[in-house]
Structure formats: structure tokens, C-alpha cells
Amino acid sequence: MRHAHTVGQVRSAEEALMARLPDGVLMQRAAAGLAHAVTDFLGSAYGARVLLLVGAGNNGGDALHAGRRLVGRGAQVDAVLLVPDRAHPEGLAAFRGAGGRVVERPRGPYDLAVDGIVGIGGSGGLRPDAAALVRSLGGTPFVAVDNPSGVEVDTGEVHGDHVEAVLTVTFGTHKIAHLVDPASRACGVVHLVDIGLGLPPAAVEALQADDVRALLPRPEPDAQKYTRGVVGVRAGSDRYRGAGVLSVAGASTGLVGMVRYVPADLDAPSGVAGVADLVQAAHPEVVIGEGQVQAWVVGSGGGDDAGSQLRAALEDDVPVVVDADALAALDVPLRVPAVLTPHAGELARVMGVERDEVEQRQLEHARAAAERFGCVVLLKNRHTLVAHPDGRVRVTTVGPPWLATAGAGDVLGGLVGALMAAGLDPFDAASVGSWLHGAAAVEANAAGPVTAGQVADAVPRLVSRLLSGSTGA
């Protein structure tokens, strides 16, 4: 599991550790890790030209002490002090003593710039002088110390100018901004340096392959199709026939014993009954018609029928996945365990805000929706958020940009529903389903385009490799 702690949690852990260590040891641990990561990024520090952008306080001190180590490895290191009278005194003395140069302005070009402007306690975008300095280094790769300066560390929000890093070197634990967009987009690759912090449980985390492997439902030796779970799908319409097929495709990935598909009108000679024909042709193992299920998937491509699809599903008092058009028919709160799977525009409509506001404050709005509806909210995006009503959040960081394709959300809803029918609670089903969905896109085509159907087809192969321990995604 990748854990992301708040600034307050990190500060408390640092204070507790520093009380047991000699002065300066914690900063030296951080500086050593930073210098190693920079050297690794450069390939070799010898002969490299490195610029330190040094703000006030410990973040700048980390950069200066790392700069001293880089000078010792043969790098030419300059430092611009943004607040000269508040630069970390011991770090500055060590840097100068090793032969590092303090300059008033960059003397480029540089192979790399180290962003030590603002630490994890900063708030708001960069100040104008710092923003101008960063812009003047256009084309120079940035390595951020702990976090890119100018992003909101505890929320993942971005307000104003900020550093865009290719690498962020963080200490002790991940921070929320490393996982949650839009801030995480500014972090580049995140490298964690262990400095020995003792930390409490984190409210934000990201599943890794081992976590998914441990959570995956497996059939018992004496299993039969009903004991493995039955998932029902009410999706698709005459206008969006493919949504029914793709929702069933996500549900029919082998994770449950049976899939039922219930069209809006099974007996109609045309219209949505045509969806049932398409579903049966694509998935002959699927049972068409009403029957007992352990979870429902509702709403994908439902159009005008989505409200009635949701009401029918709720009558069974089993967990339900609510997607797309069915989101508009929600009651507050839902009376059954549920997972809502909106994209940003759908969540904006449900919550009565603008889409841009959801995009900029994803963590806040996912949590608010989960609390309002009393259920798990899976906010689909580049980094998908799975929010529990109690405030816990899991972030899905796997999945290529190619996954932004028509029908992919239909497959995801079916997959999450199958996991709930197989016995996972909504929070685990949503976070495991989201992880499998993203990783399956890589499995289907690691280097390029995928379709929604290919993602569904790749899930059984992915699960097989995951259970054998041969994937580390």
C-alpha cells in the first residue's frame, strides 16, 4: 500500500523523531536521499551543472545540504537564495564550505534545477518573484524537494503558478498532493526516501499489486456458480445498445459464478430487447431475465429508462453500482450499500456545482458526495478517487491515458458490480475494480490504443498473472 499522510501528521512524526536524535540528523538523512536521487536522475553528478532554488526554512536546508554532497561528487552547483536573510544557516555554511556558489541569478544553462522554494507547509501559488525565476528556466528539468512548490499539499489542489517537476523526492511518507490530481500531475515520478518516521494510519492511500492480490475473491474448492455470486446488470437502451453489452462484458470477466442481464422490456419486439439479443450474442453464458442476484449494476447507457432501472434494482435490497443516467435519479441517502461511478461532469451535476470546480477540487468533492449519499463514490479521472463516507480515500494511479475511451466506464461498472457480488464490500470492490480496470488497459496494449472491449477481455489474463505473482503494476 502507498500511504499519503497530512502535513500535520508528518510534522508530529518529525518532532517525535527529532526529540530522540542528535540535532541535524533528520535533515542529513533527507539530504543524502535527495543527493542520491539527483545523481541517479543525472546518471552521474560529475561535471553536471545544477541550480538550487532555495527558499526559507528546512526545505531550502535540504536543498543546500544535498548541494554540498553533489559538489563533493564533482558537480558544479549554483544556488539562488530567494530570501537570503532566512536561508538555512547551517545548510548555507556547509554548501559554501564545500565550494558551492551563491549567485543572484541563474548562470545557465543547467542540466537540472532543484526546487527547494517552499516546503510542505506552504499554501497558495508561487509568489511573483519565484514564479518569474521558474519561468526563466524554461526547458530545464526540475527535481522537487518533498513537493513541487506552489501546490496544495493536503488537498491536491493547485491555485496559481507552481513548479512542474519531472521528479519529486519526498521524505518519510507520500503526501496527498503526490496522489491526488491536479497537484499530482506536477510531481512527475515520486521517489520516497525512508527517514525513519513513525506514522499513524493514513486517510489517503493507493493500492499496489500485492494489495489487490490479497483482496481478490477466490472460489472455494467446493464452489458452484451460485456460491461464487450472481451479479445483475440493468443497462443499455435503444439509443445506447453498446452500453449494455459493455457493462455485461465488465461483469463477465470470470470473477463471479453468473451474470444476469435484464433489459427494460424483455418482451418488446424491438428497441431495448435488441440489447438483450446483442448481449446474448456476445456473451452466450449470460442469463437473460429476472432472478436472484447479490449485486446490481445500473444506469450505463440507460437514457430515459435509467430511473426505472435504478428503482427496480433497489427493490432487491442488495448492493448496487449506480452509473451514468441513473445518477440523476438518486435518493438521499441510498438505503442499500452502493458505489456511485461518476466522471467529473456527472458529479458536478449531482452536487450542483460547475465541472471546473470538481476538476480543481477533486478530493473535496468526492468526499462530500460520499458523505451526502452515504455510499462509496468512485470519481473517474486520470487518478481515480474512491471515497468512503467516513473520509477514507483510495487513489488509483495505474492506467494509461488511452483508457479515456468510449465504453470504458461501462466496463468498469460491471467489474465493480461483479466484485461486490463475489463478496467484497463496496469500498474494496470499487478500489480493486478501478485498479484492475487501469491495469487491464496496460495488459491489453502497454504501448498504445485500447478499446473498452479489449480492456474487459484482458481482465482474466491480468487476474491470472496477478494471482501467480508475475505482475508488479
Side-chain angles (χ1 to χ4, degrees):
M1 194 81 73
R2 188 177 296 168
H3 302 282
H5 290 83
T6 66
V7 172
Q9 290 174 319
V10 172
R11 293 292 194 222
S12 295
E14 287 176 340
E15 290 172 4
L17 183 57
M18 286 188 291
R20 304 194 303 269
L21 295 174
D23 288 345
V25 169
L26 201 60
M27 181 170 287
Q28 290 303 328
R29 289 179 182 177
L34 176 60
H36 177 80
V38 168
T39 302
D40 187 61
F41 178 84
L42 291 168
S44 172
Y46 187 81
R49 298 200 67 208
V50 177
L51 176 67
L52 311 180
L53 304 185
V54 180
N58 291 341
N59 193 255
D62 293 338
L64 288 166
H65 278 295
R68 172 186 66 81
R69 292 171 180 269
L70 293 170
V71 171
R73 297 175 186 180
Q76 178 182 321
V77 186
D78 294 345
V80 174
L81 309 182
L82 278 82
V83 192
D85 59 340
R86 293 176 58 199
H88 192 273
E90 293 83 5
L92 183 57
F95 176 69
R96 281 177 160 152
R101 299 189 307 174
V102 175
V103 298
E104 291 187 3
R105 61 184 61 85
R107 300 180 180 181
Y110 294 94
D111 298 302
L112 179 146
V114 175
D115 165 26
I117 303 171
V118 181
I120 61 174
S123 181
L126 291 173
R127 293 180 179 178
D129 57 340
L133 178 58
V134 170
R135 285 194 296 271
S136 74
L137 294 164
T140 303
F142 273 81
V143 173
V145 181
D146 231 351
N147 58 269
S149 295
V151 306
E152 301 293 334
V153 179
D154 274 352
T155 66
E157 298 169 19
V158 173
H159 304 293
D161 293 313
H162 59 279
V163 169
E164 293 275 352
V166 296
L167 172 67
T168 295
V169 182
T170 195
F171 312 112
T173 182
H174 288 85
K175 317 308 185 285
I176 293 169
H178 300 150
L179 300 182
V180 175
D181 279 343
S184 67
R185 298 186 63 168
C187 295
V189 176
V190 179
H191 175 74
L192 177 62
V193 176
D194 184 4
I195 56 174
L197 297 183
L199 290 155
V204 177
E205 58 191 16
L207 296 183
Q208 305 299 289
D210 286 345
D211 306 308
V212 175
R213 184 182 298 115
L215 288 168
L216 275 172
R218 298 164 173 79
E220 297 293 335
D222 58 350
Q224 41 99 346
K225 60 188 177 185
Y226 295 110
T227 61
R228 291 190 59 207
V230 180
V231 61
V233 178
R234 296 179 182 270
S237 62
D238 191 31
R239 184 177 180 186
Y240 300 110
R241 298 186 178 199
V245 177
L246 291 169
S247 294
V248 169
S252 299
T253 51
L255 296 172
V256 287
M258 181 187 292
V259 179
R260 293 187 183 276
Y261 177 69
V262 183
D265 188 349
L266 182 61
D267 298 323
S270 62
V272 287
V275 184
D277 295 336
L278 292 173
V279 167
Q280 192 102 71
H283 304 282
E285 72 280 6
V286 171
V287 176
I288 305 296
E290 299 279 0
Q292 187 174 10
V293 301
Q294 280 71 57
W296 280 108
V297 179
V298 179
S300 299
D304 294 338
D305 296 318
S308 60
Q309 289 173 344
L310 178 59
R311 288 188 292 274
L314 292 175
E315 289 177 359
D316 284 347
D317 288 325
V318 298
V320 60
V321 175
V322 184
D323 189 32
D325 298 316
L327 292 165
L330 289 173
D331 291 323
V332 181
L334 286 173
R335 64 176 186 269
V336 300
V339 177
L340 314 186
T341 59
H343 56 58
E346 291 165 338
L347 186 61
R349 287 192 292 273
V350 168
M351 298 298 286
V353 299
E354 295 297 322
R355 178 174 185 143
D356 285 349
E357 187 173 337
V358 173
E359 294 279 11
Q360 290 302 314
R361 299 159 62 192
Q362 296 178 32
L363 182 62
E364 176 184 334
H365 286 289
R367 278 176 163 161
E371 182 179 5
R372 175 181 174 183
F373 292 103
C375 61
V376 171
V377 172
L378 187 159
L379 176 56
K380 296 178 284 194
N381 220 314
R382 187 189 78 101
H383 281 186
T384 289
L385 304 184
V386 178
H388 192 281
D390 67 10
R392 288 178 292 154
V393 174
R394 285 179 180 158
V395 187
T396 301
T397 60
V398 298
W402 297 107
L403 190 52
T405 186
D410 305 332
V411 171
L412 174 60
L415 185 56
V416 172
L419 289 164
M420 284 203 297
L424 294 189
D425 67 50
F427 190 56
D428 284 341
S431 47
V432 170
S434 177
W435 191 97
L436 290 174
H437 187 249
V442 178
E443 179 82 16
N445 188 357
V450 294
T451 64
Q454 289 171 331
V455 173
D457 290 343
V459 170
R461 299 197 305 273
L462 170 67
V463 170
S464 178
R465 293 206 303 116
L466 193 64
L467 293 177
S468 70
S470 61
T471 179

